[in-house]
Amino acid sequence: MTNILVVEDELSIRSFVSLSLRKKGYEVMEAESGEQALELFRNRNFDVVLLDLMLPGIDGFTVCQEIRKVNQKVGIIMITAKTQEKDKIEGLVIGADDYLCKPFSLQELEVRIFSLMRRINVGDEAASKMTDLLISGNFKMDLKNNKFYSSDEIVKLTPTEFSLLHFLMEHPNDLFTRDELLDAVWGENYVGELKVVDVNIRRIRQKIEKDPSSPMYLCTEWGRGYLWKVNE
């Protein structure tokens, strides 16, 4: 059963979302503040965190950062009334996997959770089909344990980063448009913006490239798309 933490200070919204998810078979816990969310997170295991941005006390950005310091695997969906591009990008840059802007439908929320859980489970699905590591130069992806290594040093990746990098490494030197990556990694029913691909590519580069501004592995062909470059 998928365990979800709903972090929302407005009681009516928190109760409605939590009740609806429970009816769908999810295990749900609620937090009305960032402080309470972090306390629950320290004492319980969650698969997904639905995180409101505007919270009393510690805001959603800070909660996201604190969670990512100790856990890279949990899925984080930011829920906010803010629609400015910079707020969406900031949430993704600091570690959120996805975002929803209020008001949103429960159907859209379910699709986002399903898509996120699909990315979280990519390692388990791959492990059931193969036992070998995925190796490319100095990089190694452990599909059974959802771990990624650069020169034998572990690199902490979020579920979305891991899934995106896994897909590209499985298709070395193949060029993919943002639309193609969105369908392959986020799912064909995903209704978010293409910008989510760019932000995740940028985050991965910051973690694995010596010079993220001039990448050697996770490359761009301007106006066309992205590829995992391997010298043959």
Side-chain angles (χ1 to χ4, degrees), residues 51-55 58-67 78 80 82 86-92 94-96:
L51 180 59
D52 185 35
L53 177 58
M54 302 300 293
L55 295 168
I58 300 175
D59 65 17
F61 290 131
T62 304
V63 173
C64 182
Q65 289 175 315
E66 291 300 312
I67 288 176
M78 279 200 164
T80 176
K82 290 191 174 183
K86 65 180 181 64
D87 293 309
K88 297 176 184 178
I89 293 175
E90 182 178 354
L92 293 171
I94 64 175

Side-chain angles (χ1 to χ4, degrees), residues 174-197:
D174 288 346
L175 183 68
F176 295 94
T177 66
R178 292 188 298 173
D179 283 308
E180 290 171 334
L181 290 173
L182 207 63
D183 287 345
V185 178
W186 281 261
E188 294 184 359
N189 293 323
Y190 182 78
V191 292
E193 300 177 17
L194 290 172
K195 182 68 69 175
V196 71
V197 176

Side-chain angles (χ1 to χ4, degrees), residues 21-214:
L21 292 175
R22 290 187 182 107
K23 287 182 177 180
K24 294 294 183 178
Y26 295 104
E27 185 75 24
V28 181
M29 292 199 71
E30 304 174 30
E32 63 181 359
S33 68
E35 291 85 350
Q36 186 181 12
L38 292 175
E39 181 64 25
L40 285 170
F41 195 84
R42 282 191 286 266
N43 295 289
R44 296 287 296 268
N45 293 320
F46 295 100
D47 301 299
V48 175
V49 178
L50 304 181
L51 180 59
D52 185 35
L53 177 58
M54 302 300 293
L55 295 168
I58 300 175
D59 65 17
F61 290 131
T62 304
V63 173
C64 182
Q65 289 175 315
E66 291 300 312
I67 288 176
R68 283 292 178 233
K69 288 179 182 178
V70 297
N71 190 312
Q72 292 290 322
K73 186 174 181 181
V74 65
I76 300 176
I77 300 176
M78 279 200 164
I79 299 176
T80 176
K82 290 191 174 183
T83 57
Q84 290 92 338
E85 190 72 12
K86 65 180 181 64
D87 293 309
K88 297 176 184 178
I89 293 175
E90 182 178 354
L92 293 171
V93 166
I94 64 175
D97 294 283
D98 203 351
Y99 60 84
L100 273 174
C101 292
K102 299 176 184 176
F104 57 86
S105 68
L106 287 173
Q107 182 179 9
E108 183 180 10
L109 176 60
E110 282 186 71
V111 169
R112 297 297 182 94
I113 293 173
F114 179 83
S115 176
L116 181 51
M117 287 305 302
R118 175 175 171 268
R119 301 197 293 277
I120 291 173
N121 293 328
V122 66
D124 295 334
E125 295 170 0
S128 67
K129 298 177 183 178
M130 60 188 300
T131 57
D132 293 337
L133 299 172
L134 185 58
I135 298 174
S136 178
N138 293 326
F139 300 104
K140 179 171 61 178
M141 182 169 278
D142 180 352
L143 298 171
K144 295 188 71 173
N145 298 298
N146 283 17
K147 292 183 178 180
F148 182 78
Y149 300 86
S150 174
S151 299
D152 293 325
E153 292 187 6
I154 193 165
V155 178
K156 294 182 178 180
L157 299 176
T158 68
T160 301
E161 292 166 355
F162 187 92
S163 185
L164 177 56
L165 191 53
H166 174 215
F167 179 78
L168 288 167
M169 287 179 66
E170 276 197 320
H171 304 86
N173 296 323
D174 288 346
L175 183 68
F176 295 94
T177 66
R178 292 188 298 173
D179 283 308
E180 290 171 334
L181 290 173
L182 207 63
D183 287 345
V185 178
W186 281 261
E188 294 184 359
N189 293 323
Y190 182 78
V191 292
E193 300 177 17
L194 290 172
K195 182 68 69 175
V196 71
V197 176
D198 302 327
V199 175
N200 276 278
I201 291 288
R202 187 193 315 166
R203 286 196 327 213
I204 297 171
R205 284 175 174 162
Q206 292 289 339
K207 296 179 179 182
I208 70 171
E209 298 278 2
K210 290 184 178 180
D211 181 3
S213 64
S214 183

